[in-house]
Amino acid sequence: MALPVDKVEINSIDLEILRRKLVAVAGEMGLQLRKTAQSVEINSELDYATAIVDRSGAVVATDNPLQLGTLSGTARAVVNHFRFNMRPGDVVVTNAPEYGGTRAVDLAVIAPLFVGNSAVLYFVIRARMPDLGGMYVGGFNPEATEFFAEGVPVTPLKLYREGRESRDVMTTLLLNSRFPDTFRLTLDSLIAAMRTGEKRVRDLIGGYGADALRAALNHAQAYVAKRIRAEMRGWAVGSYSAESALVRAPSGDVVHVRADVIVSEDSIRIDFSRSDPQAACFVNSTLSNTMGFAATAVLAEFGEDVPANDGLFQVISVTCDPGRVTSSTSGGAVGFSAAHCGAEILESVSRALRVARSAIHGDLSTPRMLLSCRPGDDRRCRVSLETWVIGGASASAGLDGWNRPALLSRSILPSVEEWERAWPVSVRKLEFVTDTAGAGRWRGAPATEAVLRTPDSHLITLWWQGPVSQTHGTAGGDAGASPRLDWDDAANSGAESTLIVDGPMPANLLRVVGAGGAGFGPAISRDPTSVLADVLDGIVSIEAAAEQYGVVLSSKGRAVDAKATARRRAAKGG
């Protein structure tokens, strides 16, 4: 939405400088938050997003493109809610899905920046809090059928009024968290990061003027819209449909996410109305969350040179009938939506767009599981075990998959030593697994294997789709290996479960293997020297090198037999 700007001469160079500086300010806010917040959700898992939005609530700059939809949805809702009642020094908090929110623990903090009597822009930070009510700590409740089982909904409330703390609001929030001290410190870190953002933007106003800043807010969005339309030239105009499915534990029912994408010369329409009805499970997505994942799939087509802001929504529109798994209503459970069905939304749009243009990347996501444990006598503790086995990234054209899918996980793999000092669980093994990477001209990332030992007295919470889920190959590449979960005592009755909620451990020694990344392009066209390097690194076995890649090795697997490789590849049709 273009904002009115006084008629003043502002050159294009200054506008571009200001656009880049606003992006830098959003990044600095995020970096400060990461360094000052004491919760692992922020400083290790990096589950937060910062943004600068204009007076209408449209995002101008953000440090986390994946949350573009929720940042924009929340900001617009709050700006509208307090349209005639926002003052300098006010700070608003909310997590309500009806106001652009998603999970109960994802609290958004919004504050205006005034110049004179007018709000020029707003700062928004959305962060995963350590806890905000619900049946289980952290809001992860696989048996939840409604939002209230995951946490306390907070409609937009003023935490600060004209710079003064609203004690009743603060007290209510703290009373609804199992960790009030950490919750308060996290809130303080969020607000401090916004104050830094305010200082930086006021410096920009001092150097360029308020009119130039207002013009830059419009320019930033127009720049993105123009870049995307330019990049779309050459796409095949038409209607494309794709779907992705997840298996709902423990019933085994399949939940489908379907995207119908209409590509025109200068716009993209994405409709999810053919998706399945919302489920009585925590895998539903709010429309704002769906918009964020759909936007990420579109942005992935253009690379990092095109920044994320609401200029994207001048080109694309995202719609869905209410009551679908992709547009949850009536307080539906959404606690795991950042993983599933977020991944399915991302993949369905991405697969549809691959038909409109030549594929340049493989799967953007990977199957995830919820796996945690806690002492039987302490409901306030949650030890996240799944952090060790977030699946591998799929390959893209010209690039092997490596590490975790960046679009779905910004988290940092913790130090084993530090983690074991913090939690009563030991890591007995942590390695890549041979022959789990999807083969291709560019191969996927290998799966990670973790062997963990937990105390006998701990209870476990588990939700996963089972070994049927996997990443999918692109342009002739092979699928990655499916995830696995093995217990030390395989005969135990709970060993094959896909859903356990605060139940006894089937065994206190477990082996968890994440999904392998998928390959891109035919494996038989992979450079034999790259295959040899993978064998030497333990990513591919000598047998798989011959069978999947048609590469024959000699000297005990330390050299490529060029003649034998040529014969084998010719026999395989390469």
Side-chain angles (χ1 to χ4, degrees):
M1 175 180 178
L3 301 176
V5 178
D6 294 342
K7 293 181 179 180
V8 59
E9 193 67 29
I10 304 168
N11 65 67
S12 59
I13 295 176
D14 283 346
L15 288 177
E16 182 60 13
I17 290 173
L18 280 169
R19 182 189 71 80
R20 292 173 180 264
K21 285 184 178 291
L22 290 171
V23 173
V25 171
E28 183 181 358
M29 290 164 58
L31 183 60
Q32 176 178 322
L33 178 62
R34 172 182 167 184
K35 289 185 174 181
T36 59
Q38 297 187 24
S39 65
V40 295
E41 292 81 7
I42 294 175
N43 59 35
S44 294
E45 298 182 22
L46 309 186
D47 201 347
Y48 64 85
T50 68
I52 296 172
V53 307
D54 67 20
R55 288 174 55 196
S56 72
V59 174
V60 174
T62 178
D63 75 329
N64 189 347
L66 188 59
Q67 296 196 27
L68 178 60
T70 51
L71 290 166
S72 178
T74 299
R76 290 178 185 274
V78 169
V79 168
N80 185 64
H81 189 73
F82 290 103
R83 182 170 299 279
F84 303 106
N85 188 26
M86 191 71 82
R87 302 287 184 269
D90 287 353
V91 177
V92 176
V93 295
T94 183
N95 71 350
E98 296 82 359
Y99 291 87
T102 51
R103 302 174 299 182
V105 290
D106 292 330
L107 193 69
V109 182
I110 303 100
L113 183 145
F114 275 76
V115 174
N117 295 321
S118 176
V120 177
L121 52 77
Y122 295 81
F123 300 98
V124 183
I125 299 182
R126 182 173 173 271
R128 180 175 145 209
M129 306 300 283
D131 184 73
L132 192 53
M135 292 183 65
Y136 298 102
V137 66
F140 293 111
N141 182 0
E143 293 182 321
T145 59
E146 60 179 358
F147 187 88
F148 295 100
E150 299 174 328
V152 177
V154 180
T155 58
L157 298 171
K158 288 191 177 183
L159 185 63
Y160 284 80
R161 293 180 178 271
E162 300 185 42
R164 300 186 64 180
E165 181 184 301
S166 300
R167 293 181 60 189
D168 52 349
V169 175
M170 180 66 80
T171 301
T172 300
L173 290 173
L174 298 181
L175 284 174
N176 278 286
S177 176
R178 294 175 174 88
F179 311 106
D181 293 340
T182 304
F183 191 99
R184 176 60 193 257
L185 290 172
T186 303
L187 268 179
D188 290 344
S189 295
L190 266 62
I191 294 170
M194 287 198 302
R195 297 302 181 220
T196 295
E198 179 180 0
K199 182 179 184 303
R200 298 291 182 263
V201 173
R202 288 199 181 279
D203 288 343
L204 295 179
I205 293 173
Y208 293 87
D211 288 333
L213 181 66
R214 293 188 184 96
L217 301 179
N218 295 332
H219 164 75
Q221 297 172 70
Y223 170 83
V224 168
K226 182 178 180 180
R227 284 288 307 273
I228 290 176
R229 289 190 173 108
E231 296 283 347
M232 285 174 57
R233 293 172 188 159
W235 285 25
V237 172
S239 299
Y240 309 96
S241 297
E243 70 175 46
S244 186
L246 66 94
V247 179
R248 181 181 156 198
S251 65
D253 296 340
V254 178
V255 178
H256 295 91
V257 171
R258 300 183 178 93
D260 296 315
V261 180
I262 299 176
V263 177
S264 66
E265 291 183 354
D266 61 356
S267 67
I268 302 172
R269 293 170 53 195
I270 304 171
D271 183 46
F272 290 96
S273 295
R274 292 194 308 111
S275 297
D276 285 352
Q278 71 183 57
C281 181
F282 69 163
V283 298
N284 301 294
S285 173
T286 64
L287 183 57
S288 292
N289 189 62
T290 296
M291 289 176 65
F293 277 96
T296 301
V298 175
L299 284 170
E301 300 296 324
F302 308 117
E304 296 180 350
D305 288 342
V306 178
N309 67 33
D310 263 36
L312 175 66
F313 294 120
Q314 296 177 19
V315 181
I316 76 168
S317 62
V318 180
T319 57
C320 183
D321 290 343
R324 298 288 162 178
V325 67
T326 47
S327 184
S328 176
T329 57
S330 303
V334 294
F336 206 45
S337 59
H340 299 290
C341 64
E344 287 69 33
I345 295 166
L346 188 67
E347 290 307 333
S348 61
V349 176
S350 179
R351 290 169 189 169
L353 292 178
R354 288 177 205 166
V355 184
R357 62 168 303 181
S358 298
I360 60 172
H361 57 75
D363 274 10
L364 300 173
S365 64
T366 187
R368 297 276 296 274
M369 68 173 64
L370 176 69
L371 180 64
S372 64
C373 66
R374 70 170 181 88
D377 59 354
D378 186 1
R379 296 185 64 86
R380 297 174 71 253
C381 179
R382 178 181 183 271
V383 185
S384 173
L385 306 179
E386 72 272 6
T387 188
W388 296 105
V389 288
I390 296 176
S394 294
S396 301
L399 188 67
D400 288 340
W402 199 250
N403 208 342
R404 304 172 173 193
L407 292 180
L408 271 193
S409 176
R410 303 199 304 172
S411 63
I412 302 170
L413 194 66
S415 157
V416 171
E417 292 77 10
E418 291 180 358
W419 197 79
E420 289 182 334
R421 282 199 298 268
W423 305 108
V425 178
S426 61
V427 180
R428 296 302 179 91
K429 183 180 181 181
L430 184 65
E431 294 181 359
F432 289 127
V433 184
T434 303
D435 292 340
T436 55
R441 181 176 181 182
W442 295 282
R443 59 146 178 83
T448 303
E449 172 191 18
V451 176
L452 309 169
R453 180 174 291 280
T454 65
D456 294 335
S457 60
H458 274 43
L459 303 178
I460 187 172
T461 293
L462 166 70
W463 183 98
W464 71 310
Q465 300 180 69
V468 297
S469 57
Q470 61 183 173
T471 54
H472 299 83
T474 303
D478 293 345
S482 298
R484 289 180 57 96
L485 176 60
D486 302 312
W487 303 93
D488 184 42
D489 179 9
N492 193 295
S493 60
E496 299 302 322
S497 296
T498 56
L499 174 66
I500 304 174
V501 180
D502 258 2
M505 302 284 288
N508 66 350
L509 185 68
L510 63 155
R511 173 180 179 261
V512 193
V513 181
F520 188 103
I524 202 168
S525 62
R526 184 168 176 79
D527 183 349
T529 60
S530 295
V531 177
L532 174 61
D534 288 341
V535 171
L536 295 176
D537 287 338
I539 296 173
V540 176
S541 66
I542 294 176
E543 296 75 17
E547 178 63 28
Q548 294 181 301
Y549 294 94
V551 174
V552 179
L553 303 180
S554 60
S555 301
K556 297 182 179 180
R558 295 192 171 276
V560 175
D561 186 328
K563 291 183 179 180
T565 294
R567 289 194 299 270
R568 188 170 185 89
R569 285 191 162 185
K572 292 174 72 69

